[in-house]
Coordinates of all heavy atoms in Angstrom, one line a residue:
V27 N 4.5 16.5 -5.2 CA 4.5 15.1 -5.5 C 5.6 14.7 -6.5 O 6.4 13.8 -6.2 CB 3.1 14.7 -6.2 CG1 3.1 13.2 -6.6 CG2 2.0 15.0 -5.2
S28 N 5.8 15.5 -7.5 CA 6.9 15.2 -8.5 C 8.2 15.5 -7.9 O 9.2 14.9 -8.3 CB 6.6 15.9 -9.8 OG 6.5 17.3 -9.6
Q29 N 8.3 16.5 -7.0 CA 9.6 16.8 -6.4 C 10.0 15.7 -5.5 O 11.2 15.3 -5.5 CB 9.5 18.1 -5.6 CG 9.4 19.4 -6.4 CD 9.2 20.6 -5.5 OE1 9.3 20.6 -4.3 NE2 8.8 21.7 -6.2
Q30 N 9.1 15.1 -4.8 CA 9.5 14.0 -3.9 C 9.9 12.8 -4.8 O 10.9 12.0 -4.4 CB 8.3 13.6 -3.0 CG 8.7 12.4 -2.1 CD 7.6 12.2 -1.0 OE1 7.1 13.1 -0.4 NE2 7.3 10.9 -0.8
F31 N 9.3 12.6 -5.9 CA 9.6 11.4 -6.8 C 11.0 11.6 -7.3 O 11.8 10.7 -7.5 CB 8.6 11.2 -7.9 CG 8.5 9.8 -8.4 CD1 7.9 8.8 -7.7 CD2 9.1 9.6 -9.6 CE1 7.9 7.5 -8.2 CE2 9.0 8.3 -10.2 CZ 8.4 7.3 -9.4
A32 N 11.4 12.9 -7.6 CA 12.7 13.2 -8.1 C 13.7 12.9 -7.0 O 14.9 12.4 -7.3 CB 12.8 14.6 -8.6
I33 N 13.4 13.3 -5.8 CA 14.4 13.0 -4.7 C 14.5 11.5 -4.5 O 15.7 11.0 -4.3 CB 13.8 13.6 -3.4 CG1 13.8 15.2 -3.5 CG2 14.6 13.2 -2.2 CD1 13.1 15.9 -2.3
T34 N 13.4 10.7 -4.7 CA 13.6 9.3 -4.6 C 14.4 8.7 -5.6 O 15.3 7.8 -5.4 CB 12.2 8.6 -4.7 OG1 11.3 9.3 -3.8 CG2 12.2 7.2 -4.3
R35 N 14.4 9.3 -6.9 CA 15.2 8.8 -7.9 C 16.7 9.1 -7.6 O 17.6 8.3 -7.9 CB 14.8 9.5 -9.2 CG 13.5 9.1 -9.8 CD 13.2 9.8 -11.1 NE 14.2 9.6 -12.1 CZ 14.5 10.5 -13.0 NH1 13.8 11.6 -13.2 NH2 15.5 10.2 -13.9
A36 N 17.0 10.3 -7.0 CA 18.3 10.6 -6.6 C 18.9 9.6 -5.6 O 20.0 9.2 -5.6 CB 18.4 12.0 -6.1
R37 N 18.0 9.2 -4.6 CA 18.4 8.2 -3.6 C 18.7 6.9 -4.3 O 19.6 6.1 -3.9 CB 17.3 8.0 -2.6 CG 17.0 9.3 -1.8 CD 18.3 9.8 -1.1 NE 18.0 11.0 -0.3 CZ 19.0 11.8 0.3 NH1 20.2 11.5 0.0 NH2 18.7 12.8 1.0
A38 N 17.9 6.5 -5.3 CA 18.2 5.2 -6.0 C 19.5 5.2 -6.7 O 20.3 4.3 -6.6 CB 17.1 4.9 -7.0
M39 N 19.9 6.4 -7.3 CA 21.1 6.5 -8.0 C 22.3 6.5 -7.1 O 23.4 6.0 -7.3 CB 21.1 7.7 -8.9 CG 20.2 7.6 -10.1 SD 20.3 9.0 -11.2 CE 19.0 10.0 -10.6
E40 N 22.2 7.2 -5.9 CA 23.4 7.3 -5.1 C 23.6 6.0 -4.3 O 24.7 5.8 -3.9 CB 23.3 8.5 -4.1 CG 22.3 8.4 -3.0 CD 22.4 9.6 -2.1 OE1 23.4 10.3 -2.1 OE2 21.4 9.8 -1.3
T41 N 22.6 5.3 -4.0 CA 22.7 4.0 -3.3 C 22.9 2.8 -4.2 O 23.3 1.7 -3.8 CB 21.5 3.7 -2.4 OG1 20.3 3.6 -3.1 CG2 21.4 4.8 -1.3
R42 N 22.5 3.1 -5.5 CA 22.5 2.0 -6.5 C 21.6 0.8 -6.0 O 22.0 -0.4 -6.1 CB 23.9 1.5 -6.9 CG 24.7 2.4 -7.8 CD 24.0 2.6 -9.1 NE 24.8 3.3 -10.1 CZ 24.6 4.5 -10.6 NH1 23.5 5.1 -10.2 NH2 25.4 5.0 -11.5
R43 N 20.5 1.2 -5.5 CA 19.5 0.2 -5.1 C 18.1 0.5 -5.8 O 17.8 1.7 -5.9 CB 19.2 0.3 -3.6 CG 20.4 0.1 -2.7 CD 20.8 -1.3 -2.7 NE 22.0 -1.6 -1.8 CZ 22.0 -2.0 -0.5 NH1 20.8 -2.3 0.0 NH2 23.1 -2.2 0.2
E44 N 17.4 -0.5 -6.2 CA 16.1 -0.4 -6.7 C 15.2 0.1 -5.5 O 15.4 -0.3 -4.4 CB 15.5 -1.6 -7.3 CG 16.2 -2.1 -8.5 CD 17.4 -2.9 -8.3 OE1 17.8 -3.1 -7.1 OE2 18.1 -3.4 -9.3
I45 N 14.2 0.9 -5.8 CA 13.3 1.4 -4.8 C 11.9 1.2 -5.2 O 11.5 1.7 -6.3 CB 13.6 2.9 -4.5 CG1 15.0 3.1 -3.9 CG2 12.6 3.4 -3.4 CD1 15.3 4.6 -3.6
A46 N 11.1 0.6 -4.3 CA 9.7 0.4 -4.5 C 9.0 1.5 -3.7 O 9.3 1.7 -2.5 CB 9.2 -1.0 -4.1
V47 N 8.1 2.2 -4.3 CA 7.4 3.4 -3.7 C 5.9 3.1 -3.7 O 5.3 2.8 -4.7 CB 7.7 4.7 -4.5 CG1 7.0 5.9 -3.7 CG2 9.2 4.9 -4.6
A48 N 5.3 3.2 -2.5 CA 3.8 3.0 -2.4 C 3.3 4.3 -1.7 O 3.8 4.7 -0.7 CB 3.4 1.9 -1.6
T49 N 2.3 5.0 -2.4 CA 1.7 6.1 -1.8 C 0.2 5.9 -1.8 O -0.3 5.0 -2.5 CB 2.0 7.4 -2.6 OG1 1.3 7.3 -3.9 CG2 3.5 7.6 -2.8
T50 N -0.5 6.7 -1.0 CA -2.0 6.5 -0.9 C -2.7 6.8 -2.2 O -3.6 6.0 -2.6 CB -2.5 7.4 0.2 OG1 -2.0 8.7 0.0 CG2 -2.1 6.9 1.6
N51 N -2.3 7.9 -2.9 CA -3.0 8.2 -4.2 C -2.1 8.8 -5.2 O -2.6 9.5 -6.1 CB -4.2 9.1 -3.9 CG -3.9 10.5 -3.6 OD1 -2.8 10.8 -3.1 ND2 -4.8 11.4 -3.8
G52 N -0.8 8.5 -5.2 CA 0.1 9.0 -6.2 C 1.2 9.9 -5.7 O 0.9 10.7 -4.8
V53 N 2.4 9.7 -6.2 CA 2.8 8.8 -7.3 C 3.5 7.7 -6.7 O 4.5 7.8 -6.1 CB 3.6 9.5 -8.3 CG1 4.1 8.6 -9.4 CG2 2.9 10.7 -9.0
S54 N 2.9 6.4 -6.9 CA 3.6 5.2 -6.6 C 4.5 4.8 -7.7 O 4.2 5.2 -8.9 CB 2.7 4.1 -6.2 OG 1.8 4.5 -5.1
G55 N 5.5 3.9 -7.5 CA 6.3 3.6 -8.6 C 7.4 2.6 -8.3 O 7.5 2.2 -7.1
F56 N 8.2 2.2 -9.3 CA 9.3 1.3 -9.1 C 10.5 2.0 -9.9 O 10.3 2.3 -11.1 CB 9.1 -0.1 -9.6 CG 10.2 -1.0 -9.4 CD1 10.8 -1.2 -8.2 CD2 10.7 -1.6 -10.6 CE1 11.9 -2.0 -8.0 CE2 11.8 -2.5 -10.4 CZ 12.4 -2.7 -9.1
I57 N 11.6 2.3 -9.2 CA 12.7 3.0 -9.7 C 13.9 2.0 -9.8 O 14.2 1.4 -8.8 CB 13.0 4.2 -8.9 CG1 11.8 5.1 -8.8 CG2 14.2 5.0 -9.4 CD1 11.9 6.2 -7.8
G58 N 14.5 2.0 -10.9 CA 15.7 1.1 -11.1 C 16.9 1.8 -10.4 O 16.9 2.9 -10.0
R59 N 18.0 1.0 -10.2 CA 19.1 1.5 -9.5 C 19.9 2.6 -10.2 O 20.7 3.3 -9.7 CB 20.1 0.4 -9.1 CG 20.6 -0.4 -10.2 CD 21.6 -1.5 -9.7 NE 22.1 -2.3 -10.8 CZ 23.1 -3.1 -10.6 NH1 23.8 -3.2 -9.5 NH2 23.5 -3.9 -11.6
D60 N 19.6 2.7 -11.5 CA 20.1 3.8 -12.3 C 19.2 5.1 -12.3 O 19.5 6.0 -13.0 CB 20.4 3.3 -13.7 CG 19.1 2.9 -14.4 OD1 18.0 2.8 -13.7 OD2 19.2 2.5 -15.6
G61 N 18.2 5.0 -11.5 CA 17.3 6.2 -11.4 C 16.2 6.2 -12.5 O 15.3 7.1 -12.4
Q62 N 16.2 5.2 -13.3 CA 15.1 5.2 -14.4 C 13.8 4.7 -13.8 O 13.8 3.7 -13.0 CB 15.5 4.3 -15.5 CG 16.8 4.8 -16.3 CD 16.5 6.2 -16.8 OE1 15.6 6.5 -17.5 NE2 17.5 7.1 -16.5
V63 N 12.7 5.3 -14.2 CA 11.4 4.9 -13.7 C 10.9 3.7 -14.5 O 10.6 3.9 -15.7 CB 10.4 6.1 -13.8 CG1 9.0 5.7 -13.3 CG2 10.9 7.3 -13.0
E64 N 10.7 2.6 -13.9 CA 10.3 1.4 -14.6 C 8.8 1.1 -14.5 O 8.2 0.4 -15.3 CB 11.0 0.1 -14.0 CG 12.6 0.3 -14.2 CD 13.3 -0.9 -13.8 OE1 12.7 -2.0 -13.6 OE2 14.6 -0.8 -13.7
W65 N 8.1 1.7 -13.5 CA 6.7 1.7 -13.4 C 6.2 2.8 -12.6 O 6.9 3.2 -11.6 CB 6.2 0.3 -12.7 CG 4.7 0.2 -12.6 CD1 3.8 -0.1 -13.5 CD2 4.0 0.4 -11.3 NE1 2.5 -0.1 -13.0 CE2 2.7 0.2 -11.6 CE3 4.4 0.8 -10.0 CZ2 1.7 0.3 -10.6 CZ3 3.4 0.9 -9.1 CH2 2.1 0.6 -9.4
K66 N 5.1 3.4 -12.9 CA 4.7 4.6 -12.2 C 3.1 4.8 -12.4 O 2.6 4.5 -13.4 CB 5.3 5.8 -12.8 CG 5.0 7.2 -12.2 CD 5.8 8.3 -12.9 CE 5.5 9.7 -12.3 NZ 6.3 10.7 -13.0
T67 N 2.5 5.2 -11.3 CA 1.0 5.3 -11.3 C 0.7 6.8 -11.6 O 1.5 7.7 -11.6 CB 0.4 5.0 -9.9 OG1 0.8 6.0 -9.0 CG2 0.8 3.6 -9.5
A68 N -0.6 7.0 -11.9 CA -1.1 8.4 -12.0 C -1.6 8.8 -10.6 O -1.8 8.0 -9.7 CB -2.3 8.4 -13.0
E69 N -1.8 10.1 -10.4 CA -2.3 10.6 -9.2 C -3.8 10.3 -9.1 O -4.5 10.2 -10.2 CB -2.1 12.1 -9.1 CG -0.6 12.4 -8.9 CD -0.4 13.9 -8.6 OE1 -1.0 14.4 -7.6 OE2 0.4 14.6 -9.3
R70 N -4.3 10.2 -7.9 CA -5.7 10.1 -7.6 C -6.4 8.9 -8.3 O -7.5 9.0 -8.8 CB -6.5 11.4 -8.0 CG -6.0 12.6 -7.3 CD -6.6 13.9 -7.8 NE -6.2 15.1 -7.0 CZ -6.4 16.3 -7.4 NH1 -7.0 16.6 -8.5 NH2 -6.0 17.3 -6.6
T71 N -5.6 7.8 -8.3 CA -6.2 6.6 -8.9 C -5.8 5.4 -7.9 O -4.9 5.6 -7.1 CB -5.6 6.3 -10.2 OG1 -4.2 6.2 -10.1 CG2 -5.9 7.4 -11.2
A72 N -6.5 4.3 -8.1 CA -6.1 3.1 -7.4 C -5.3 2.2 -8.4 O -5.8 2.1 -9.6 CB -7.3 2.3 -6.9
D73 N -4.2 1.7 -8.0 CA -3.4 0.9 -9.0 C -2.5 0.0 -8.1 O -2.3 0.2 -7.0 CB -2.6 1.8 -9.8 CG -2.2 1.2 -11.2 OD1 -2.4 0.0 -11.3 OD2 -1.7 1.9 -12.1

């Protein structure tokens, strides 16, 4: 789960695009174009 989120951050940085991530039970989040995590859920929760 955390490995995939790190890969997503790398994609945000190389494309310089914000990325919205939705998963069934974690980790969902919103990543800025600089790769910084601006919002993130916990695992096994609804949010």
Side-chain angles (χ1 to χ4, degrees):
V27 177
S28 53
Q29 285 175 15
Q30 182 171 314
F31 205 74
I33 295 173
T34 312
R35 291 179 58 204
R37 297 305 183 188
M39 285 185 271
E40 73 174 343
T41 61
R42 283 298 191 248
R43 302 286 182 100
E44 293 85 357
I45 298 182
V47 183
T49 68
T50 49
N51 73 335
V53 176
S54 302
F56 181 56
I57 302 169
R59 60 176 174 167
D60 58 356
Q62 296 302 308
V63 180
E64 300 184 12
W65 179 79
K66 183 178 178 181
T67 68
E69 291 187 56
R70 298 173 179 167
T71 60
D73 206 349

